[in-house]
Amino acid sequence: MATTYLSVVHLATAGLNGPLLGSDEEEIVLICLVVVNIQTNQVVTVQDYWVKPRSADINENVLSEQAREEMGLSEELIRTKGNSLEQVLSQVDSFLQKVSTEVDQKPASQAANVVIVTDGQLPLRQCLLPETCSKGIADPPAIFGHFYDLRKEFRKAFPNAPEINSIQDMINYLNLEPEETAGVVQQNATRREAQDMGRILQRLVKEGHKFDNPETIHLRLEPGICSKDEEVDSNTVVRARGLPWQSSDQDIARFFRGLNVARGGVALCLSAQGRRNGEALVRFVSSEHRDMALKRHKHHIGPRYIEVYKATGDDFIDVAGGSNNEAQNFLSRSGQVIVRMRGLPYDCTAKQVVEFFESGGEDVGSTVLDGDAGVLFVKKHDGRATGDAFVMFATEEEGSKALAKHRDIIGSRYIELFRSTTAEVQQVLNRSMDPRTYETQAPLIPQLPQMPLLPQQMITSGTRKDCIRLRGLPYEAQVEHILEFLGEHAKSIVYQGVHMVYNAQGQPSGEAFIQMDSEQSSFQAAHQRHHRYMVFGKKQRYIEVFQCSGEDMHVVLTGGLALPSTPATPKALLSPGGTLLPHQSYGTYPFGQPPQIIPAVSPLTPRPQPFGFPPIFYWPYPSPPVSPTNYYGTANGSAATVAAAAAMSAAAGGVNNGTGLPAGTLVIMRGLPFTASCSDILQFFSGFSELTPDCIQIQRNNDGRPSGEAVVNFPNRAEAERAIAEKNRQNIGTRYIELFMT
């Protein structure tokens, strides 16, 4: 159908407009239409549609200073005449359909074709369509799926014109006289520019310019297969980071709504454990769309901001490219939904998978596309099963019913189900067929620098409460920051008395133990500095300070095991000349002399221990300042003990981190009610749906009673960090829970 009408769509937001339109995610407040009949070259109508943003019910001032002063927009009109964006889009669609029939007095079956015209790419691609996505408008009217870019059409009509960057540039080039506005009171800039666009269209029609081949906007991601041999232009690829781990390829495509993603152009990145890590590579149809995608850096999916960076074609091929014939045959089927199954019995057959999804009758059962041929098992390079499979379904409806069987049973095993993508199928198959995937990974700890080892006797003991424990330190905090935080109390620290607690990877745990010269000194420090703030750069963290004894300190640092016999009083820890250290520059204060050390050994090498004592790893001051924290513990020890044991076991190649938990990133929960159960912890971490009861280990004391701590295994570090960011110091019942990463 030939285009009969061109409808200018020009809009304004409550925030930035012009070349920055859409960059601040502010809501649309005005849409102006100017309809031009190409056959008569006449303006048919000019319409204004005011949009009431959601923030209008919360904020007294909706508009930014620029929108009020430069654009001439009115708060009063927005509040009195404005409707929701969904209502306005429906009104615009109905109006344009009515124009195409009523103006020419034709029946609806013979309605003329109306195509939208915008000033550049931003109004639809970067502003209107992304906002429909953020507001949950699933299907914008079809009329917004095609449009003409006035700047591109102007370039076609006048190829010798200078660079065009605005409507005013086009007006100046055409020498159009200012429109007569006598009698028009306080016309806003958006309406004025829309009318100017109408005049430019009339001039283009008069010059004989033909409007054909409008641009198309893809509102859904189309499936596609990428080969390892395919060449991908690096100017069309971005990396998105910070995605919710449960995001599907369609969710990511919706984040980039308005931009045309290539077929099969979303590749979800997987961690070494085969789980999604919150990153994706996205391939667009052109560099123009890639450049617009980069402008969505730190735009939001729900409450999460998403980082968008440039990537290369090789990055995309590494993740999405495949050469496995079995995978290619599976993906070449015409299904719309791929479901990943995890936790299958190793002897499971395709017939059992098909029956699993068909069970429950027509209402809840779903049909696998092509039966047994629609099931692809993931196998190792030697043909052994991995417990994973991909299943193809023909329609969204069938896929939704299939996903509803999440955690249903095959045999004695519950099965996890996740919506998957073509790129994930390729990535998983590539990894599973690579023998290196199953090689024992080299431990992280040997990469740490060689450091000297202090004798275990340097750790204090005794029941005198002459120590303090600091908790909640920034991970970047060093000794000088602790001394500054303690202020005048730092003078009472004994020689070599600050112990920074590190985990098995050599990373700070956020805790420190400090030995003071007397019980009175430790009491005063704990009393006056508890819950005070430590300012570190732009961070401000409140620190917990507790008075404790040397025995308490030793129990925490060594998992509850006794020290070998040591002097009753730790006089060897005092600096020569008394307990008050001289005021010297950092590097010697409060550590007046270099520590007594034995010959340097690898931090991995446990020094000889008396029978029954665990190996202890101790990095002394002054280079770098760390403490004994890494040891082997039992499941009945503290959560820190179990976490340290987990890290040590993982470094040694253990498959379950030494805790009985599956491999992953461990988070310690502290402050649990003694009655807390696994169900309570799963409820606390609602929104982290990959967690199961198998991922949780509640810690108990030697007498079997709960210790108030638990270890939770997350699928990857990104999810563990998100859990800490979102849930730290949230409540279970009346108790707030502290979270620490191992």
Side-chain angles (χ1 to χ4, degrees):
M1 184 186 296
T3 301
T4 305
Y5 292 96
L6 297 174
S7 176
V8 169
V9 172
H10 199 51
L11 50 85
T13 71
L16 298 174
N17 292 282
L20 298 177
L21 183 70
S23 63
D24 57 356
E25 296 183 279
E26 286 290 342
E27 297 178 83
I28 295 169
V29 294
L30 175 62
I31 298 177
C32 292
L33 300 185
V34 177
V35 181
V36 177
N37 187 323
I38 294 179
Q39 295 176 348
T40 63
N41 200 17
Q42 296 293 320
V43 173
V44 175
T45 185
V46 178
Q47 296 286 329
D48 290 343
Y49 293 89
W50 292 94
V51 184
K52 186 177 182 180
R54 291 176 176 175
S55 59
D57 295 328
I58 304 172
N59 300 329
E60 182 178 350
N61 297 318
V62 174
L63 298 174
S64 67
E65 185 176 347
Q66 183 211 37
R68 284 195 305 271
E69 297 182 1
E70 297 181 20
M71 304 298 294
L73 301 178
S74 166
E75 295 261 7
E76 182 181 356
L77 290 174
I78 291 171
R79 296 182 185 279
T80 57
K81 293 187 176 182
N83 293 307
S84 70
L85 180 63
E86 188 169 14
Q87 290 175 314
V88 168
L89 294 182
S90 178
Q91 292 170 2
V92 169
D93 185 44
S94 299
F95 174 76
L96 292 178
Q97 289 183 21
K98 188 180 297 184
V99 165
S100 64
T101 56
E102 291 186 357
V103 172
D104 293 332
Q105 297 182 343
K106 292 181 179 180
S109 60
Q110 301 178 18
N113 191 26
V114 180
V115 181
I116 285 172
V117 179
T118 62
D119 175 29
Q121 301 283 310
L122 302 184
L124 289 186
R125 294 194 185 275
Q126 291 287 74
C127 190
L128 179 61
L129 292 173
E131 187 171 332
T132 63
C133 182
S134 66
K135 291 186 173 179
I137 303 174
D139 297 307
I143 195 167
F144 295 102
H146 303 274
F147 74 102
Y148 289 111
D149 181 338
L150 182 58
R151 298 187 188 187
K152 291 183 179 180
E153 297 302 318
F154 190 90
R155 174 63 61 190
K156 291 178 186 177
F158 303 102
N160 296 323
E163 184 177 359
I164 299 297
N165 294 313
S166 66
I167 297 170
Q168 191 59 47
D169 288 346
M170 290 182 271
I171 291 287
N172 295 339
Y173 182 81
L174 297 175
N175 292 320
L176 295 179
E177 296 294 330
E179 188 176 33
E180 182 60 46
T181 58
V184 178
V185 180
Q186 293 184 341
Q187 187 180 44
N188 65 70
T190 306
R191 182 184 176 96
R192 184 169 60 252
E193 289 176 348
Q195 290 175 313
D196 286 342
M197 290 174 66
R199 295 163 60 204
I200 295 168
L201 285 177
Q202 288 179 288
R203 180 64 177 271
L204 293 180
V205 171
K206 182 178 179 180
E207 295 288 337
H209 178 69
K210 299 297 183 183
F211 289 87
D212 50 20
N213 298 323
E215 293 193 36
T216 301
I217 298 175
H218 301 161
L219 295 179
R220 282 194 62 82
L221 174 67
E222 296 297 327
I225 305 173
C226 181
S227 168
K228 281 285 188 185
D229 301 325
E230 188 173 342
E231 291 188 10
V232 176
D233 184 0
S234 292
N235 292 322
T236 63
V237 182
V238 301
R239 181 184 296 273
R241 182 176 296 161
L243 298 162
W245 69 263
Q246 67 270 34
S247 296
S248 68
D249 54 348
Q250 294 291 348
D251 294 329
I252 297 167
R254 277 192 287 272
F255 172 75
F256 290 107
R257 178 181 281 183
L259 308 180
N260 291 350
V261 179
R263 292 177 64 89
V266 176
L268 297 165
C269 299
L270 304 181
S271 67
Q273 290 76 33
R275 300 172 185 265
R276 297 174 187 174
N277 64 4
E279 293 189 12
L281 291 160
V282 186
R283 178 187 179 189
F284 296 93
V285 297
S286 69
S287 59
E288 179 185 29
H289 289 236
R290 192 285 302 265
D291 292 342
M292 286 188 281
L294 291 171
K295 293 180 180 178
R296 298 198 188 180
H297 180 59
K298 294 200 172 179
H299 283 204
H300 291 76
I301 294 180
R304 297 174 67 94
Y305 72 80
I306 309 302
E307 300 172 63
V308 183
Y309 303 100
K310 290 182 180 179
T312 67
D314 289 341
D315 292 338
F316 186 82
I317 290 294
D318 288 343
V319 174
S323 56
N324 185 289
N325 291 332
E326 196 176 7
Q328 299 283 340
N329 292 334
F330 174 79
L331 295 172
S332 63
R333 304 180 187 280
S334 57
Q336 293 185 16
V337 178
I338 301 172
V339 172
R340 182 178 181 181
M341 307 181 73
R342 198 161 63 200
L344 290 168
Y346 289 151
D347 58 354
C348 186
T349 65
K351 182 179 179 181
Q352 287 177 291
V353 171
V354 172
E355 291 174 349
F356 171 78
F357 286 110
E358 289 180 346
S359 63
E362 186 176 341
D363 292 338
V364 296
S366 54
T367 303
V368 176
L369 180 65
D370 297 335
D372 291 3
V375 181
L376 175 64
F377 287 102
V378 180
K379 298 180 180 179
K380 297 181 181 179
H381 65 284
D382 57 6
R384 290 182 297 161
T386 63
D388 282 23
F390 294 96
V391 186
M392 184 81 73
F393 295 90
T395 64
E396 288 285 345
E397 181 183 4
E398 293 291 330
S400 297
K401 289 195 291 184
L403 289 168
K405 292 182 176 289
H406 180 56
R407 297 200 178 182
D408 280 6
I409 303 295
I410 291 182
S412 60
R413 298 179 65 92
Y414 72 83
I415 309 301
E416 296 177 293
L417 303 177
F418 308 94
R419 182 162 183 152
S420 189
T421 68
T422 57
E424 186 174 32
V425 174
Q426 301 268 37
Q427 194 176 172
V428 170
L429 265 293
N430 290 343
R431 287 189 179 187
S432 69
M433 298 304 293
D434 185 352
R436 293 173 298 178
T437 302
Y438 306 99
E439 293 176 358
T440 302
Q441 301 296 313
L444 173 64
I445 298 180
Q447 301 172 14
L448 294 174
Q450 300 286 309
M451 297 191 184
L453 200 66
L454 275 183
Q456 188 174 358
Q457 285 79 3
M458 295 296 287
I459 310 170
T460 188
S461 62
T463 58
R464 292 178 60 220
K465 291 186 176 292
D466 54 0
C467 301
I468 56 174
R469 181 181 185 182
L470 273 62
R471 199 160 65 189
L473 295 168
Y475 292 147
E476 305 91 339
Q478 299 295 327
V479 173
E480 59 264 38
H481 303 114
I482 292 178
L483 300 181
E484 182 180 351
F485 170 75
L486 290 176
E488 62 179 13
H489 301 288
K491 300 175 184 178
S492 302
I493 300 174
V494 303
Y495 170 59
Q496 290 186 348
V498 180
H499 302 279
M500 300 282 285
V501 180
Y502 280 52
N503 63 23
Q505 284 75 33
Q507 299 167 333
S509 69
E511 293 196 32
F513 283 94
I514 299 176
Q515 296 168 238
M516 311 295 284
D517 59 14
S518 67
E519 287 185 314
Q520 181 65 20
S521 298
S522 63
F523 173 80
Q524 291 293 336
H527 179 70
Q528 295 181 22
R529 303 309 298 167
H530 184 54
H531 281 185
R532 297 297 179 92
Y533 283 90
M534 175 183 285
V535 179
F536 188 86
K538 294 183 178 179
K539 295 182 179 179
Q540 181 171 290
R541 296 281 296 271
Y542 86 89
I543 309 300
E544 296 177 292
V545 183
F546 307 101
Q547 185 182 17
C548 63
S549 66
E551 187 175 287
D552 297 334
M553 170 182 165
H554 174 260
V555 166
V556 172
L557 294 182
T558 62
L561 296 175
L563 276 169
S565 59
T566 56
T569 57
K571 292 184 179 179
L573 300 180
L574 302 181
S575 61
T579 57
L580 292 178
L581 298 177
H583 293 272
Q584 300 176 9
S585 61
Y586 175 69
T588 59
Y589 167 69
F591 315 106
Q593 296 181 355
Q596 297 288 326
I597 61 174
I598 64 175
V601 296
S602 165
L604 269 188
T605 308
R607 63 182 175 83
Q609 292 287 321
F611 180 78
F613 293 104
I616 233 175
F617 297 94
Y618 193 116
W619 285 267
Y621 294 132
S623 175
V626 291
S627 266
T629 67
N630 303 328
Y631 45 82
Y632 299 101
T634 64
N636 287 331
S638 68
T641 305
V642 175
M648 294 299 296
S649 177
V655 294
N656 66 354
N657 293 342
T659 65
L661 297 173
T665 301
L666 302 183
V667 169
I668 297 173
M669 303 181 71
R670 183 174 293 157
L672 290 168
F674 294 141
T675 57
S677 64
C678 288
S679 298
D680 297 324
I681 294 174
L682 287 174
Q683 179 64 32
F684 178 76
F685 286 113
S686 60
F688 296 81
S689 58
E690 284 203 356
L691 291 182
T692 67
D694 294 337
C695 299
I696 299 169
Q697 190 177 87
I698 296 176
Q699 302 304 300
R700 298 183 181 275
N701 298 320
N702 292 331
D703 59 6
R705 290 182 298 177
S707 67
E709 296 185 351
V711 178
V712 183
N713 185 44
F714 285 83
N716 54 59
R717 187 176 183 86
E719 284 301 288
E721 289 176 348
R722 181 167 76 90
I724 291 174
E726 295 179 6
K727 296 294 186 178
N728 189 34
R729 305 189 71 80
Q730 298 293 311
N731 281 37
I732 292 182
T734 59
R735 297 179 65 90
Y736 72 82
I737 309 301
E738 295 178 295
L739 302 179
F740 307 92
M741 190 183 304
T742 63

